Amino acid sequence: RAPSAYLQVWNFTIERELWKQSALTLGYSGSKGTHLGRRYDINRPFRTLEYYLAGFGFPRPYEFFNTINYFSWGSNSIYNALEISLRRRVTRGLFFRVGYLYSKSIDEASQFSDSSDGGYGGAIDPRNLKLERARSDWDRGHVFTAAFNWNLPVGRGQPLLSRLQGWKQMLLGGWQLSGTARAYSGPPFTVKTSDVEWDLGETDRPNRIGRGYMPEDAFPGKKGVDFPWFRLSDFEPVPCVDPSVSVTCLAQSAYGFSPFQIGNSGRNILDGPGLFVLDLGLRKNFNLGEQRSLQVRWDVFNVPNHTNFLLPNNLFNEPSGGYIDRVGESGRQGGPRVMQWALTYRF
């Protein structure tokens, strides 16, 4: 029987009023996950150079069986976050809230399979699961959020055009402008090797021989579009013992790495592109009687039409390695700008 997964959560908050109608909040939150699920092959062969040279194949822990996918509940996670927010209560028709979050989420497995973009399902070595301890697939180091609502000071009784009457007041007065903004640092991803030959000594995680970080101005153009998002030359495939069998096989490592060794490139070691989205809405309510009203609204998602890229191709030894060919699917999620009009009648 699998043990029950559980989550411990703790929070601590301090709030102080800075000036009239405004407050600053400092907070800390954390959580710890225990008995979280993961999947890996407990019957992974013992692949070594000695077994290969002996020519008798690679033995498995459980003879007469092939792959045995084992669902384990022994993973753990830890999350810590510093939260800072500044908010202003509605004063003179203006409300705003600005927040900043600095956090880190670390776990030993974020998924059961390779369903998460950029992540790594299973385990590179089922006999040493601690090698998978790294940033969670969804970790975002820096998160900035903002929201506001402003009753525009236009129309009867307002600083601007205060003498409006009749249809002019109905047309120009009483509008509200609201908006939200989000800016996130990029999620992590795992660099992998494509078309590996496990029985020849390769593994799907390469050897890391450099940082892998690619500066924005390394080449002319846009990083991830005109040149790779990460430095491909900072990674080297784990060499194999028979390069004549595989066209992608590295016969000899320039840095002294040997076949059948696990690549030293860790899980979720590089950051993908960040996200920035600004949404605005303009609305006006028309009172049509005691129980009737009409609202006109115009919403614009991703106002600056900022391109928010998804994770790059994480296979470093492919021609398309490091390049990005996907963006957010809609304006709400960071995709191309989307506008909508809405007319709501309440009765």
Side-chain angles (χ1 to χ4, degrees):
R1 180 184 177 186
S4 299
Y6 64 89
L7 187 68
Q8 295 175 310
V9 181
W10 49 90
N11 296 278
F12 179 74
T13 303
I14 298 177
E15 182 172 296
R16 181 179 180 84
E17 186 170 345
L18 295 182
W19 61 86
K20 189 175 182 180
Q21 305 298 329
S22 299
L24 177 68
T25 302
L26 299 177
Y28 163 79
S29 63
S31 64
K32 181 183 185 301
T34 307
H35 298 314
L36 305 180
R38 72 189 315 173
R39 186 191 70 176
Y40 55 92
D41 178 15
I42 62 172
N43 207 29
R44 178 77 64 85
F46 294 97
R47 294 185 176 92
T48 66
L49 182 59
E50 290 74 20
Y51 285 126
Y52 178 83
L53 295 176
F56 296 110
F58 302 103
R60 292 178 179 267
Y62 300 96
E63 195 177 1
F64 309 119
F65 291 93
N66 291 320
T67 298
I68 302 177
N69 283 324
Y70 178 68
F71 289 83
S72 166
W73 300 93
S75 300
N76 300 283
S77 69
I78 187 72
Y79 171 81
N80 293 279
L82 170 67
E83 303 171 3
I84 303 174
S85 68
L86 175 65
R87 73 176 186 275
R88 173 191 172 99
R89 301 179 185 90
V90 179
T91 305
R92 296 181 180 177
L94 174 64
F95 159 82
F96 69 80
R97 183 186 181 96
V98 179
Y100 170 73
L101 177 73
Y102 175 67
S103 66
K104 177 166 284 189
S105 178
I106 297 175
D107 60 24
E108 296 163 6
S110 296
Q111 55 180 313
F112 279 111
S113 62
D114 283 308
S115 58
S116 174
D117 287 350
Y120 189 89
I124 189 68
D125 184 359
R127 290 172 276 276
N128 187 3
L129 298 177
K130 291 298 182 182
L131 291 177
E132 302 306 305
R133 181 174 173 82
R135 293 169 58 197
S136 304
D137 291 356
W138 51 82
D139 179 57
R140 299 271 190 171
H142 303 275
V143 175
F144 171 84
T145 58
F148 78 94
N149 186 79
W150 184 27
N151 297 327
L152 297 182
V154 179
R156 188 168 56 247
Q158 300 295 329
L160 301 177
L161 304 179
S162 60
R163 297 183 180 181
L164 285 179
Q165 300 289 337
W167 66 269
K168 294 181 180 180
Q169 167 62 25
M170 184 176 64
L171 182 64
L172 300 177
W175 288 93
Q176 292 180 329
L177 179 66
S178 61
T180 60
R182 294 173 290 151
Y184 302 160
S185 57
F189 65 93
T190 304
V191 178
K192 297 174 65 177
T193 307
S194 66
D195 300 323
V196 298
E197 294 285 348
W198 288 87
D199 290 342
L200 297 181
E202 296 180 300
T203 61
D204 62 352
R205 291 235 288 263
N207 287 309
R208 189 182 188 186
I209 55 180
R211 290 183 57 200
Y213 172 74
M214 180 75 77
E216 295 283 349
D217 57 352
F219 300 96
K222 178 72 174 179
K223 185 170 78 167
V225 178
D226 301 302
F227 59 95
W229 179 264
F230 61 96
R231 197 179 298 277
L232 308 182
S233 59
D234 283 355
F235 299 90
E236 182 187 77
V238 174
C240 69
V241 293
D242 191 354
S244 64
V245 178
S246 172
V247 295
T248 62
C249 186
L250 181 68
Q252 186 175 1
S253 168
Y255 297 89
F257 296 108
S258 302
F260 296 103
Q261 291 184 347
I262 296 172
N264 67 12
S265 183
R267 170 177 159 253
N268 286 343
I269 57 173
L270 296 180
D271 291 329
L275 177 141
F276 174 75
V277 178
L278 172 64
D279 303 330
L280 292 177
L282 185 65
R283 68 182 184 273
K284 176 178 173 59
N285 294 312
F286 296 89
N287 186 6
L288 303 179
E290 185 176 348
Q291 296 182 348
R292 293 179 300 165
S293 65
L294 181 69
Q295 183 184 80
V296 178
R297 186 181 183 101
W298 178 36
D299 294 307
V300 184
F301 305 101
N302 193 4
V303 174
N305 203 27
H306 174 74
T307 303
N308 288 287
F309 293 105
L310 300 182
L311 289 175
N313 183 344
N314 61 345
L315 299 173
F316 83 99
N317 61 335
E318 288 191 347
S320 60
Y323 286 93
I324 302 174
D325 59 3
R326 299 174 302 155
V327 298
E329 295 182 356
S330 67
R332 291 175 182 269
Q333 304 299 323
R337 182 193 299 122
V338 174
M339 291 185 283
Q340 68 179 25
W341 283 93
L343 187 65
T344 304
Y345 176 64
R346 295 184 175 89
F347 58 94

